């Protein structure tokens, strides 16, 4: 890779300069072909050429931010909003009126509506459901058959999200359809982001037809869920009830489209990201059997001989550190985009209004400038004092600022509980046909992880 310039200030002017341009672009696709072919390596190398670098995706110029400090500044600054290639791609799935894609006053109001469901004092109410699903997961594995980890991980994450946040038996029958639809959709969305060939994705070839069928099925499922809740006349204390009773800035009930998009936002990003992390955790437990031993020892000391419970989670420090280290090396959300709303500068470089900015938590969290033994799996680096020189914003698995994931504590409790229950019950070995190479889509996960669960 070559660059045009590495100086952040135009010589003799003191004015912010244009960031360097990465080499290797090709006609029509620009750098999109590199992002499609080997995106993780491409993003990881960009910092070698500057803290801000220009890329070309099709006809567009995109600015890549590579340092922890500047990714934090980008996320916290009001000069940049949620937008850009990633979010434009996701709008076909998440809609424009859900908390994941909204900006400004609409986003702030939506955050106020959903935040009570994720307060720390609300989490124990989800404990019995999380426990039931985690123990049911290992119960299904007791037969000794080969596990399709993709299906199992999505199933448990969808069921926990749906049953905790939208209580009702009608979710049981639909969780499998939701799981199948999401797997198809997220597989196709990354290509649509990095190779923006809009009209071609409407050509009725098999891949596009499968994508469109899955998208239609997911939206149909959401409409069914809302209709069933209304028909039941029930108002359990859950997030779906909060949405159905929410009001807009004028004190009027929020519109049907916003309710729809909000339900999609509840089901989709959380289930996809949590499911991807569960897959990576099972890969880690297979590759690092010593971590299984350490988790079991911790569970024995904390829990004893009874089943692991939600109330134990806060005491399972090493298990939680295994989760955090897994998210460092295998972040589900590996790429994010923003858009500048005004002419501004970042790190001494000029960023024009309307520019799209991209950054990669994967690259930041594996940067050798921030981490010793940056590719080594070491949960102890998260012990107090374990990483004394870690730069701020070098590890932000749930984001920062007003776009920080509202379900961060919910997700950590869920993932820690699942890890403790699974590791305490089984060891794992790869089964024939397993492929643990990284699948790169909108999220990261193992490509096709097939494992044999060995009790004891």
């Amino acid at each position: 890779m070559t660059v045009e310039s590495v100086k952040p200030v135009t010589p003799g002017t003191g004015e912010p300069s244009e960031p360097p341009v990465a080499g290797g672009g090709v006609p029509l696709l620009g750098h999109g072909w590199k992002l499609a072919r080997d995106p993780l390596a491409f993003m990881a190398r960009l910092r070698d050429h500057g803290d801000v670098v220009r890329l070309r995706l099709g006809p567009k110029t995109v600015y890549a931010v590579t340092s922890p400090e500047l990714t934090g500044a980008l996320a916290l600054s009001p000069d940049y909003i949620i937008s850009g290639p990633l979010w434009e791609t996701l709008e076909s799935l998440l809609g424009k009126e859900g908390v994941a894609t909204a900006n400004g006053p609409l986003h702030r109001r939506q955050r106020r509506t959903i935040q009570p469901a994720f307060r720390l004092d609300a989490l124990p109410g989800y404990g019995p459901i999380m426990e039931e699903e985690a123990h049911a997961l290992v119960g299904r594995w007791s037969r000794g058959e080969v596990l399709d980890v993709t299906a199992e991980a999505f199933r448990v994450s969808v069921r926990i999200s749906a049953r905790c946040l939208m209580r009702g038996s009608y979710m049981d029958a639909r969780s499998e359809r939701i799981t199948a639809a999401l797997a198809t959709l997220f597989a196709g969305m990354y290509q649509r982001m990095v190779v923006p060939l809009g009209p071609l994705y409407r050509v009725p070839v098999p891949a596009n037809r499968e994508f469109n069928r899955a998208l239609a099925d997911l939206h149909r499922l959401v409409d069914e869920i809302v209709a069933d809740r209304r028909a039941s006349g029930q108002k359990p204390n859950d997030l779906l009830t909060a949405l159905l009773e929410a009001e807009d800035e004028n004190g009027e009930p929020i519109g049907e489209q916003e309710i729809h998009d909000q339900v999609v936002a509840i089901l989709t990003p959380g289930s996809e990201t949590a499911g991807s992390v569960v897959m990576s955790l099972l890969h880690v437990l297979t590759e690092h059997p010593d971590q299984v031993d350490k988790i079991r020892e911790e569970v024995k000391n904390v829990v004893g001989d009874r089943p692991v419970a939600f109330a134990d989670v806060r005491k399972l420090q090493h298990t939680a550190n295994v989760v955090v280290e897994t998210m460092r090396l295998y972040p589900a959300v590996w790429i994010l985009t923003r858009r500048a709303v005004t002419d501004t500068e970042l790190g001494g470089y000029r960023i024009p209004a309307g520019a799209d900015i991209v950054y990669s938590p994967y690259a930041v969290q594996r940067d050798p400038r921030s981490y010793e033994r940056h590719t080594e799996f070491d949960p102890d680096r998260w012990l107090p004092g374990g990483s004394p020189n870690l730069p701020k914003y070098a590890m932000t698995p749930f984001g920062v600022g007003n776009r920080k994931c509202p379900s961060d504590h919910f997700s950590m409790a869920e993932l820690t509980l699942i890890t403790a229950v699974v590791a305490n019950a089984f060891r794992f070995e790869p089964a024939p046909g397993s492929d643990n190479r990284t699948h790169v889509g909108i999220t990261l996960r193992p490509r096709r992880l097939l494992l044999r669960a060995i009790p004891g």
Side-chain angles (χ1 to χ4, degrees), residues 136-148:
L137 182 70
V138 298
R140 289 195 298 270
W141 297 352
S142 61
R143 296 184 294 271
E145 53 201 40
V146 172
L147 308 175
D148 181 341

Side-chain angles (χ1 to χ4, degrees), residues 47-368:
R47 195 178 181 191
D48 292 340
H49 305 283
D51 290 347
V52 182
V53 181
R54 277 183 291 162
L55 309 175
R56 284 179 44 245
L57 297 183
K60 296 183 67 172
T61 295
V62 175
Y63 295 73
V65 178
T66 65
S67 72
E69 177 186 9
L70 293 185
T71 58
L74 176 68
L76 292 169
S77 172
D79 292 339
Y80 308 97
I81 61 171
I82 287 286
S83 191
L86 171 63
W87 303 105
E88 289 169 356
T89 301
L90 285 175
E91 278 181 357
S92 64
L93 171 60
L94 302 179
K96 297 182 179 181
E97 297 187 32
V99 69
T101 52
N103 282 291
L106 176 60
H107 176 258
R108 289 192 291 274
R109 171 171 60 74
Q110 292 174 336
R111 289 279 296 208
R112 289 195 297 270
T113 299
I114 69 173
Q115 194 67 58
F118 298 111
R119 290 197 313 255
L120 284 174
D121 59 2
L123 298 187
Y126 306 131
I129 294 174
M130 289 187 183
E131 291 173 19
E132 183 180 331
E133 291 296 339
H135 289 289
L137 182 70
V138 298
R140 289 195 298 270
W141 297 352
S142 61
R143 296 184 294 271
E145 53 201 40
V146 172
L147 308 175
D148 181 341
V149 173
T150 302
E152 291 294 308
F154 276 135
R155 182 178 294 116
V156 71
S157 62
V158 166
R159 288 181 64 84
I160 287 175
S161 291
R163 292 188 63 206
C164 287
L165 304 175
M166 293 178 288
R167 297 174 187 265
S169 60
Y170 52 82
M171 291 306 307
D172 293 344
R174 295 187 173 103
S175 62
E176 299 301 318
R177 285 169 62 193
I178 294 170
T179 299
L182 291 182
T184 299
L185 291 170
F186 278 90
M189 282 189 164
Y190 176 70
Q191 182 179 355
R192 285 164 167 77
M193 180 182 76
V194 300
V195 186
L197 304 177
L200 294 182
Y201 293 123
R202 294 193 289 271
V203 176
V205 297
N208 289 343
R209 287 200 298 268
E210 182 182 16
F211 182 91
N212 291 332
R213 278 195 300 268
L215 184 61
D217 195 37
L218 181 68
H219 288 297
R220 186 162 48 247
L221 280 162
V222 168
D223 289 337
E224 291 174 9
I225 290 166
V226 174
D228 281 359
R229 169 61 66 82
R230 282 182 164 144
S232 74
Q234 298 176 352
K235 295 183 178 182
N237 184 22
D238 66 0
L239 193 49
L240 183 52
T241 295
L243 291 174
L244 293 175
E245 296 184 342
E247 297 178 343
D248 64 17
E249 292 80 358
N250 299 317
E252 299 293 329
I254 65 174
E256 290 300 308
Q257 188 63 54
E258 184 177 341
I259 292 171
H260 178 98
D261 290 353
Q262 286 285 65
V263 174
V264 174
I266 293 167
L267 282 175
T268 303
S271 298
E272 167 70 16
T273 54
S276 297
V277 175
V278 171
M279 288 180 237
S280 295
L281 280 163
L282 288 166
H283 166 60
V284 163
L285 295 179
T286 305
E287 294 290 306
H288 300 278
D290 60 308
Q291 296 301 327
V292 175
D293 293 335
K294 291 180 179 180
I295 292 170
R296 288 185 171 189
E297 181 179 359
E298 182 174 63
V299 169
K300 182 178 180 180
N301 292 335
V302 170
V303 179
D305 295 328
R306 62 175 172 78
V308 183
F310 179 86
D312 301 317
V313 165
R314 61 187 177 84
K315 301 176 185 176
L316 297 174
Q317 188 58 58
H318 181 77
T319 307
N321 288 345
V322 168
V323 173
V324 173
E325 182 70 346
T326 299
M327 291 192 293
R328 180 185 75 85
L329 285 173
Y330 309 103
V333 179
W334 70 276
I335 191 166
L336 290 166
T337 61
R338 296 287 190 271
R339 179 166 292 159
V341 294
T342 186
D343 289 335
T344 183
E345 64 90 19
L346 199 60
Y349 292 109
R350 184 183 304 113
I351 308 292
D356 289 333
I357 302 100
V358 61
Y359 63 103
S360 172
Y362 176 93
V364 170
Q365 291 170 193
R366 285 175 170 248
D367 193 335

Side-chain angles (χ1 to χ4, degrees), residues 7 43 45 140 193 215 223 311 357 363 373 422 437:
K7 296 181 179 180
M43 294 300 295
R45 287 194 295 264
R140 289 195 298 270
M193 180 182 76
L215 184 61
D223 289 337
I357 302 100
R373 301 169 285 107
V422 165
R437 290 177 297 171

